[in-house]
Amino acid sequence: MANAHISALQAKHADLDARIETEEHRPLPDMTLVSQLKKQKLKVKEEINGLH
C-alpha cells in the first residue's frame, strides 16, 4: 500500500517538475503559476520524505 502511494507521489512530483520546466521556458512565463507549482512540488516531496 505505502509503496503504491509513494510511487504515485513520485509520479506527481515528476509531473510538477515537468510543468515548472515548461512554464519557465515559455517566452513570457507566468511566475505566479511557477511559484504555485513549486509550492505543490515541495509539499509532495515533504509527504514522500514523511513516508520513508
Side-chain angles (χ1 to χ4, degrees):
M1 174 73 179
N3 285 342
H5 187 61
I6 291 171
S7 294
L9 289 171
Q10 288 171 333
K12 185 174 181 179
H13 187 268
D15 179 59
L16 288 166
D17 197 40
R19 289 176 61 194
I20 291 166
E21 189 74 21
T22 299
E23 188 63 33
E24 286 180 332
H25 287 89
R26 285 182 39 201
L28 294 171
D30 180 345
M31 294 314 291
T32 302
L33 177 60
V34 170
S35 177
Q36 290 171 348
L37 291 172
K38 285 183 177 183
K39 286 178 186 172
Q40 289 176 28
K41 184 178 156 188
L42 181 59
K43 284 182 184 178
V44 171
K45 184 176 180 179
E46 288 172 348
E47 190 173 345
I48 291 169
N49 290 338
L51 293 173
H52 280 276

